[in-house]
Amino acid sequence: MGKNINNKILKLLYRSFDSDLNEKEKRRLEEALETSKELRREKEQILAQRQTISENAVASFKPFFAERIIRRIDAVKEENGLEAFYEALKAIFRRFAIAGVVIMIVLIFYNFKTGESMSMDEVFFASDVTFEEILDLPLF
Amino acid sequence: MELIKKHEAQVAATVIGMLGNCPEAEDIGQETFIRFYKSLDKFRGEASTGTYITRIAINLSLNELKRRKRQRRLFFSKSDNKFENVPDKNNQEDESEKNKIIRHAIQKLDPKFRSVITLRLINGYSTKETAQILKLPAGTVLSRLARGQMKLKQILSPFYRK
């Protein structure tokens, strides 16, 4: 390919297809094209190649492509709905869990402060207290 | 639906230009629109919808090419011959064969050359738009275009010599 063509001129030729050349470059290229038969042939070949590539584009998928995508988008929407539900459930559970832990800490602290003995059983409400005894306890 | 129909041709040209006319091309085409749908809230309209969708299509195609390359490395110890699968030059009289030859030749190009050739010559984007889509300087796009076309000519040289 263009072994006898000046490399700079060849680059200029390629660039001329995809960007604007300045006046000096244009003149240089025109002069080179006038004098070199090989460069003219190179230009023709590139043009033909470019034309074949652009004409050759496959610009469609199999029929009902849009319908297939709509079905997939519907599935994504459904998935998103379920995900949102699980996220909400997780958020609610988290609140209850945090509230439960806080209550337990307060109760442990309360037992620790007010208990007669400092045993772990007492602190963690595990002393031998019957259900009736619990019911008889004053609330406040 | 309208949006898909409006941009199907350009996505098909991009994806098939990059990957060839294979089953994965349709998958990547579908994935392009799904990704666009999922990223609608992030789309701020800085680029046109078409350019944005093409950018997704080209990125997914490049990822697919990387995946293929990884698979090839896993299953074949030596890289494949660069000129394999180029159909016999005796078939060049047939127009559709000529198209196939060109398509195969494009598939032989390195992805960085293939992407600029696809966007500029197949999709018809300007050099500036191609640079924006690929997030490259315009000068890089121009040099890749020139080198890509030279390589294409080299691959197709048996068909030019008649």
Side-chain angles (χ1 to χ4, degrees):
Chain A
M1 171 196 52
K3 276 174 191 153
N4 300 323
I5 306 172
N6 178 322
N7 199 34
K8 279 184 183 169
I9 288 291
L10 193 64
K11 277 185 181 169
L12 206 59
L13 175 67
Y14 275 98
R15 196 151 62 80
S16 70
F17 294 110
D18 302 298
S19 75
D20 295 325
L21 303 181
N22 62 39
E23 284 306 314
K24 198 179 161 191
E25 289 171 329
K26 267 185 205 167
R27 256 200 319 275
R28 222 175 120 205
L29 183 62
E30 276 166 20
E31 280 166 16
L33 281 166
E34 272 173 29
T35 52
S36 168
K37 192 181 168 189
E38 206 178 344
L39 190 66
R40 285 199 297 275
R41 206 177 66 218
E42 183 80 18
K43 186 182 176 181
E44 277 169 26
Q45 283 183 350
I46 305 165
L47 273 173
Q49 184 174 281
R50 289 171 70 100
Q51 198 180 343
T52 314
I53 293 170
S54 58
E55 283 170 358
N56 172 44
V58 179
S60 67
F61 292 109
K62 284 178 197 158
F64 307 109
F65 176 75
E67 286 78 1
R68 284 194 293 280
I69 291 178
I70 295 294
R71 272 203 299 275
R72 279 192 65 183
I73 288 176
D74 286 342
V76 169
K77 275 183 193 166
E78 210 171 289
E79 218 172 80
N80 286 351
L82 267 175
E83 221 167 85
F85 173 72
Y86 288 134
E87 281 303 314
L89 210 64
K90 251 165 66 182
I92 290 169
F93 174 76
R94 203 178 296 134
R95 276 181 207 149
F96 276 111
I98 291 168
V101 168
V102 169
I103 289 168
M104 272 181 69
I105 290 169
V106 168
L107 284 174
I108 288 168
F109 189 70
Y110 175 78
N111 281 351
F112 193 70
K113 278 275 191 194
T114 59
E116 288 160 9
S117 72
M118 300 295 257
S119 69
M120 292 303 277
D121 281 352
E122 191 124 348
V123 169
F124 289 103
F125 329 102
S127 56
D128 286 334
V129 184
T130 62
F131 185 65
E132 284 77 20
E133 280 173 330
I134 291 171
L135 287 177
D136 290 341
L137 281 172
L139 277 175
F140 294 102
Chain B
M1 182 77 106
E2 285 303 307
L3 188 114
I4 298 167
K5 284 188 172 161
K6 189 179 169 193
H7 296 288
E8 180 187 343
Q10 89 195 60
V11 170
T14 308
V15 172
I16 295 171
M18 288 295 288
L19 305 174
N21 206 351
C22 55
E24 297 92 64
E26 157 123 8
D27 293 340
I28 299 294
Q30 285 190 23
E31 193 57 33
T32 299
F33 285 101
I34 304 288
R35 292 278 175 104
F36 176 68
Y37 168 77
K38 284 181 177 172
S39 64
L40 268 176
D41 51 336
K42 289 179 204 152
F43 177 59
R44 291 189 295 269
E46 285 159 353
S48 73
T49 316
T51 310
Y52 190 71
I53 291 176
T54 306
R55 190 179 291 161
I56 299 174
I58 207 98
N59 286 338
L60 289 174
S61 303
L62 287 169
N63 288 347
E64 171 63 18
L65 288 173
K66 275 185 204 159
R67 193 190 63 82
R68 282 184 188 175
K69 199 175 171 185
R70 273 200 305 273
Q71 265 188 345
R72 261 205 306 271
R73 272 202 203 130
L74 270 175
F75 295 108
F76 302 103
S77 53
K78 282 190 177 178
S79 63
D80 53 348
N81 179 6
K82 279 209 159 217
F83 299 95
E84 70 172 6
N85 295 336
V86 175
D88 195 87
K89 67 174 179 179
N90 296 329
N91 295 329
Q92 66 174 329
E93 304 308 327
D94 185 346
E95 184 57 30
S96 63
E97 273 307 307
K98 187 180 164 190
N99 287 349
K100 265 188 206 167
I101 290 164
I102 293 272
R103 225 180 352 235
H104 272 93
I106 294 173
Q107 297 309 307
K108 297 287 141 202
L109 292 176
D110 187 281
K112 66 181 180 188
F113 299 125
R114 208 184 303 178
S115 54
V116 290
I117 298 250
T118 301
L119 291 174
R120 176 79 182 103
L121 303 185
I122 298 180
N123 285 52
Y125 282 109
S126 68
T127 307
K128 197 180 161 193
E129 286 168 324
T130 304
Q132 278 172 349
I133 291 169
L134 295 171
K135 293 182 177 168
L136 288 172
T140 308
V141 170
L142 283 172
S143 67
R144 284 187 185 178
L145 269 171
R147 284 179 65 197
Q149 287 178 95
M150 282 179 196
K151 279 178 189 288
L152 259 185
K153 231 179 131 243
Q154 204 181 329
I155 295 168
L156 295 168
S157 57
F159 308 99
Y160 289 118
R161 267 186 251 123
K162 201 181 171 185

